[in-house]
Amino acid sequence: MDKNTIIGFVLIAAVLIGFSWWQQPSKEEVEAMRKQDSIALVAKQKAEQKAKLAEQNALQKQQEKLAVAANDTTAAFHSALSGNVENVVLKNSSVELTFSTKGAAVSKAVVKSFKDREDNKDVTLFDEKDQLLNMMLSGKDINIITKDLYFTPSEQTDSTVTFTAMAGEGKSLVISYRLGKEYLLHASIQALGMSGMFAPNYREMDIEWTERCRQQEKGFTFENQRSALTYHFVDGGTDYLNETKEYADKAIEKAIDWVAFKNQYFSAVMIAKDNFAQNAMMTSLPQQKETHYLKHYAAKLKTAFDPTGAKPTELEFYFGPNDFRLLQRIEKQSSFGKDLQLERLVYLGWPLIRIINRWFTLYVFDWLTKFGLNMGIVLILITLLLKAITFPLVKKSYMSSAKMRVLKPKLDEATKQFDKPEDQMQKQQAMMAMYSKYGVSPLSGCLPMLIQMPIWIAMFNYVPNAIQLRGESFLWMKDLSTYDPIMEWGKNIWLIGDHLSLTCILFCVANVLYSVMTMRQQKDQMVGQQAEQMKMMQWMMFLMPVMFFFIFNDYSSGLNFYYFVSLFFSAAIMWTLRKTTNDEKLLAILEARYKENQNNPKKMGGLASRLEALQKQAEELQRQKNERMNNR
């Protein structure tokens, strides 16, 4: 930095310092500025106070407006906004319903003649702590909320009651109930003399229905998996909210005519004569095991309402068991004349499985239960009947395996030259040629097994939903509808739970033994590499029973017992067929057929011959491919 630059910086600094000193205010000016700042501060404080006062005034006006509305409500329902809570009971031989005069809705529902999980003689679906039904009407100046109103009961009998909330002279809200001979409750809601309180185009009533669904059975997990908020579309068909997921105000786009708060064996259903409008909001929240509640259900609905009172809003309620035949009968008792399909509350499986359960299993159960048999005996008889029906197919499957078994030495001899990996196609062709010559189809044993599988799946869906098994004991099983523990502990263990089920263990052990028997039979008919592949299959055959244990330990003892009995009879049938089959005679029959086919090659038709033709075609394609490779 040169001398001139330094001098320049010094002069600039001197000018800045001098200007600052020259601009410094005097004492009088400082005092005047202080006073001016004080005045600005006071003005700011006054402005803040004014804004706060304006906010308070706005709030006060809002409160006054609400008070006016409240006074209007009080004026309209001055006699219904206070009172004493009283209970009114309607009952018959099937159900007992308790109504509260506050809200005029069912506050407690007891289903008779069904023991609960604590062995009490009746099942309480819900009480006032668990359930709330609220109807809301939006007037011109007021909202009428039934849960806040005290109603006066009249015309009371064991099956009927009328609740009235007065809204001034000549004006009232009337809710009437009529209990049928079983589980169906009819409700009628009517506004009398109140048309002037509503807008001319007002035609809908809002309904809010909530319930905490109680655990009714011993097995919490198993019951929870079969408890779901279910609804029925006006144009047919039902749907439900997934049992394991959480839903909060899920909109249902189509119109529905009933909604059910369902657990495994009991349901509370609300049905609308004039349907529930589109975009109903449904809530289903799974609860924790220690609460002893399965789900928290809620439904926000809209249905028709006539403010003139000429046409009442009609609803029906079902509080009772999920019994397929009973629900069909209840639907006929409904006064709405609609195809409600209430029996869909009993889940029977996917469409194909449902057909089996609907038109076979149900009728067999109905027929056997007419004799007053224990449900354990019924399960055994159903198993025997199914085995008898499928026996021709099972025998066909076994005989196909037996034929392959007696031909195994000949197959080994005919295919011993094809031991190399690249010769496997020729080996398969040689085997198929042998099968064709002897009139044996290696695939004939597959179809019977495929036919039996839907039956297993059908029973998997039917037995856990059959209320006939609930509370029924058999042998060591105290309740066929839930697990039968041989050991229990208080803490939940991952994958196992808090118990060991005896019937689940028996089923899994029987599955292992049956798998061993099946593998031995299949091993006797395997040739060459097939036998090696069978060793890999053995691990899967043993792994399946282990997986079944973790799946079925929570399942009902009735279902596990059915599978155990089914495997037992399957093993008995296989053992009997093995003992009654003479391999020498069977081989002689095959040899005779072989000679017959030699004399008449056209008789080598069927699936085996078609497979042989396909393999010859594949061989020709492979030969052409090899020729092209060699010509390159």
Side-chain angles (χ1 to χ4, degrees), residues 304-537:
F305 172 73
D306 182 5
T308 66
K311 180 182 178 182
T313 299
E314 294 185 71
L315 302 172
E316 286 181 336
F317 297 86
Y318 173 80
F319 304 105
N322 300 329
D323 185 314
F324 192 94
R325 299 302 185 194
L326 170 64
L327 289 167
Q328 287 183 318
R329 188 168 70 246
I330 290 295
E331 184 168 331
K332 294 178 181 179
Q333 297 173 13
S334 172
S335 61
F336 297 164
K338 303 172 73 173
D339 184 14
L340 297 173
Q341 296 182 305
L342 287 173
E343 70 275 7
R344 289 292 187 95
L345 288 171
V346 181
Y347 183 71
L348 297 179
W350 309 321
L352 174 61
I353 305 303
R354 180 177 178 82
I355 291 173
I356 297 173
N357 283 326
R358 174 68 180 85
W359 301 107
F360 174 78
T361 312
L362 270 167
Y363 283 97
V364 173
F365 252 82
D366 292 344
W367 177 61
L368 292 175
T369 51
K370 287 180 180 179
F371 297 102
L373 299 174
N374 181 277
M375 284 296 113
I377 301 296
V378 169
L379 289 174
I380 294 174
L381 293 177
I382 286 180
T383 307
L384 288 172
L385 178 60
L386 292 173
K387 293 301 178 185
I389 293 173
T390 58
F391 178 75
L393 297 173
V394 172
K395 184 177 180 180
K396 182 178 180 181
S397 174
Y398 173 81
M399 293 308 297
S400 175
S401 301
K403 292 174 184 178
M404 296 171 67
R405 182 179 69 246
V406 298
L407 288 176
K408 184 176 182 296
K410 293 183 177 294
L411 289 172
D412 289 336
E413 181 66 23
T415 60
K416 64 181 180 180
Q417 67 270 29
F418 304 118
D419 289 336
K420 297 179 181 180
E422 60 269 19
D423 297 334
Q424 291 306 306
M425 181 175 290
Q426 291 88 338
K427 185 173 185 176
Q428 290 293 329
Q429 291 172 356
M431 291 171 57
M432 294 305 298
M434 289 286 291
Y435 287 142
S436 297
K437 292 175 182 178
Y438 283 94
V440 176
S441 175
L443 300 180
S444 62
C446 298
L447 183 60
M449 296 305 296
L450 293 176
I451 292 177
Q452 289 188 82
M453 187 57 66
I455 296 176
W456 271 56
I457 300 175
M459 296 302 290
F460 176 83
N461 285 280
Y462 181 80
V463 173
N465 296 298
I467 195 171
Q468 292 85 353
L469 272 66
R470 187 180 185 272
E472 286 285 327
S473 61
F474 182 67
L475 300 177
W476 67 90
M477 295 166 283
K478 295 182 179 180
D479 187 348
L480 289 169
S481 68
T482 187
Y483 59 84
D484 57 323
I486 56 171
M487 184 181 299
E488 291 185 279
W489 50 88
K491 188 177 181 181
N492 187 67
I493 298 177
W494 183 65
L495 289 180
I496 298 179
D498 57 2
H499 65 275
L500 289 177
S501 174
L502 178 56
T503 50
C504 178
I505 295 173
L506 290 174
F507 161 49
C508 294
V509 171
N511 205 341
V512 171
L513 297 177
Y514 183 74
S515 299
V516 171
M517 182 181 297
T518 304
M519 285 187 293
R520 286 181 177 176
Q521 177 179 311
Q522 293 175 345
K523 187 178 180 181
D524 292 339
Q525 65 192 42
M526 296 298 176
V527 178
Q529 193 177 10
Q530 291 180 336
E532 295 297 325
Q533 294 174 349
M534 188 62 191
K535 293 180 180 179
M536 298 297 296
M537 291 293 296

Side-chain angles (χ1 to χ4, degrees), residues 138-408:
S138 298
K140 294 178 181 178
D141 301 314
I142 61 172
N143 290 327
I144 302 172
I145 303 174
T146 59
K147 71 180 180 66
D148 296 331
L149 300 179
Y150 290 83
F151 289 76
T152 302
S154 61
E155 303 176 11
Q156 182 180 350
T157 67
D158 283 344
S159 60
T160 62
V161 66
T162 298
F163 292 98
T164 304
M166 299 303 299
E169 185 176 354
K171 301 176 181 179
S172 61
L173 182 64
V174 179
I175 303 178
S176 300
Y177 292 100
R178 183 182 72 254
L179 180 62
K181 60 181 181 180
E182 290 186 285
Y183 301 95
L184 198 63
L185 175 71
H186 184 274
S188 173
I189 303 98
Q190 194 171 15
L192 300 179
M194 297 172 59
S195 58
M197 301 174 64
F198 301 97
N201 60 347
Y202 185 72
R203 290 293 183 272
E204 283 188 330
M205 169 193 294
D206 289 275
I207 299 176
E208 288 186 354
W209 190 28
T210 63
E211 181 187 329
R212 286 202 303 166
C213 184
R214 290 186 176 188
Q215 176 188 352
Q216 302 290 356
E217 314 304 324
K218 182 178 180 180
F220 175 88
T221 303
F222 190 67
E223 183 183 7
N224 208 1
Q225 291 171 350
R226 282 149 186 81
S227 302
L229 189 153
T230 308
Y231 44 90
H232 182 264
F233 298 113
V234 172
D235 55 1
T238 58
D239 202 352
Y240 62 94
L241 303 186
N242 188 288
E243 303 93 333
T244 60
K245 296 182 179 179
E246 292 188 359
Y247 295 91
D249 288 339
K250 175 182 171 60
I252 309 303
E253 296 180 356
K254 295 182 179 180
I256 61 177
D257 48 24
W258 59 257
V259 57
F261 294 164
K262 172 184 177 295
N263 65 8
Q264 184 178 1
Y265 291 122
F266 301 94
S267 290
V269 187
M270 179 163 57
I271 309 164
K273 181 177 182 179
D274 297 311
N275 307 329
F276 295 117
Q278 298 175 349
N279 296 315
M281 310 299 287
M282 304 294 184
T283 297
S284 176
L285 304 174
Q287 305 296 292
Q288 298 298 318
K289 182 176 182 179
E290 56 271 12
T291 66
H292 298 299
Y293 287 95
L294 304 171
K295 301 284 196 308
H296 175 81
Y297 292 136
K300 297 178 181 178
L301 311 161
K302 291 180 181 292
T303 191
F305 172 73
D306 182 5
T308 66
K311 180 182 178 182
T313 299
E314 294 185 71
L315 302 172
E316 286 181 336
F317 297 86
Y318 173 80
F319 304 105
N322 300 329
D323 185 314
F324 192 94
R325 299 302 185 194
L326 170 64
L327 289 167
Q328 287 183 318
R329 188 168 70 246
I330 290 295
E331 184 168 331
K332 294 178 181 179
Q333 297 173 13
S334 172
S335 61
F336 297 164
K338 303 172 73 173
D339 184 14
L340 297 173
Q341 296 182 305
L342 287 173
E343 70 275 7
R344 289 292 187 95
L345 288 171
V346 181
Y347 183 71
L348 297 179
W350 309 321
L352 174 61
I353 305 303
R354 180 177 178 82
I355 291 173
I356 297 173
N357 283 326
R358 174 68 180 85
W359 301 107
F360 174 78
T361 312
L362 270 167
Y363 283 97
V364 173
F365 252 82
D366 292 344
W367 177 61
L368 292 175
T369 51
K370 287 180 180 179
F371 297 102
L373 299 174
N374 181 277
M375 284 296 113
I377 301 296
V378 169
L379 289 174
I380 294 174
L381 293 177
I382 286 180
T383 307
L384 288 172
L385 178 60
L386 292 173
K387 293 301 178 185
I389 293 173
T390 58
F391 178 75
L393 297 173
V394 172
K395 184 177 180 180
K396 182 178 180 181
S397 174
Y398 173 81
M399 293 308 297
S400 175
S401 301
K403 292 174 184 178
M404 296 171 67
R405 182 179 69 246
V406 298
L407 288 176
K408 184 176 182 296

